[in-house]
Amino acid sequence: LKYSISENNPYQITLILPEKNLVAPLQLKNSTIPFWGELPSGIYELIFVVADSAGNWASRTISVEKDIDVPSIEFISPRDGSIHKAPPVYKFKVSDNNVKSIRFSINNRSRTILPNQFGEYVVDNAEFPYMYNIIVTVEAWDSLDNYSNYSIVIHHEGAPVDARENTLDLINLF
């Protein structure tokens, strides 16, 4: 978090964070708040106090939200490693106070899903490729672009196992 002071001749600038009992002198003009990187996500009231050499002072209180938490993703169904004859119904949850965007992918073919207020999603019309290993991924971004993703692998019953998984390295056998 950066700040800027537009006083002609400030003598002393102090930042107070009452919730954490922190008081820090700040450098003149532009700088970064010293303890900002150490704070967890939350809403903070910051009090800036500026005093000049004549003893005049002014303060300004601002409220700032810090969000470093990534969205949480949970697959409800299908289960990782499960085997299916027919296309499954995909159910998952995305939890975050400010979900901005969600992408659902099957083997890197993706679609965007609009966030809803409940955080629960159902995809029942997804493709079901005729291959044994199918990678299903959900990606989510919040309003501050904190990003997370979660993938599972399901299996299409009856589809051939990828030939690359079953080849022997004959060169290294001898």
Side-chain angles (χ1 to χ4, degrees), residues 34-132:
F35 49 76
W36 189 252
E38 301 164 20
L39 296 174
S41 292
I43 297 175
Y44 297 98
E45 295 290 322
L46 302 174
I47 303 170
F48 289 88
V49 179
V50 179
D52 66 15
S53 56
N56 300 309
W57 64 274
S59 68
R60 170 78 40 110
T61 301
I62 62 170
S63 179
V64 179
E65 180 178 5
K66 181 176 183 181
D67 178 6
I68 56 173
D69 298 326
V70 300
S72 170
I73 301 169
E74 174 191 357
F75 267 93
I76 300 167
S77 68
R79 289 187 333 266
D80 190 27
S82 58
I83 299 172
H84 303 270
K85 289 182 180 179
V89 173
Y90 301 93
K91 295 180 183 179
F92 58 92
K93 291 182 183 181
V94 177
S95 303
D96 190 279
N97 290 335
N98 301 303
V99 175
K100 176 178 77 173
S101 179
I102 299 169
R103 185 165 46 210
F104 175 84
S105 304
I106 294 181
N107 290 351
N108 293 321
R109 295 189 58 167
S110 64
R111 67 170 78 171
T112 300
I113 296 176
L114 296 175
N116 65 41
Q117 64 185 8
F118 307 108
E120 295 186 12
Y121 303 89
V122 175
V123 178
D124 60 2
N125 59 348
E127 65 176 296
F128 193 51
Y130 191 66
M131 52 194 327
Y132 187 70

Side-chain angles (χ1 to χ4, degrees), residues 66 108 136-137 145-146 165:
K66 181 176 183 181
N108 293 321
V136 182
T137 303
D145 285 332
N146 295 315
E165 295 175 4

Side-chain angles (χ1 to χ4, degrees), residues 14-41:
T14 306
L15 174 64
I16 303 168
L17 180 62
E19 296 95 353
K20 300 288 184 181
N21 290 323
L22 292 172
V23 177
L26 300 179
Q27 298 176 6
L28 301 180
K29 300 292 179 203
N30 298 313
S31 192
T32 301
I33 295 175
F35 49 76
W36 189 252
E38 301 164 20
L39 296 174
S41 292

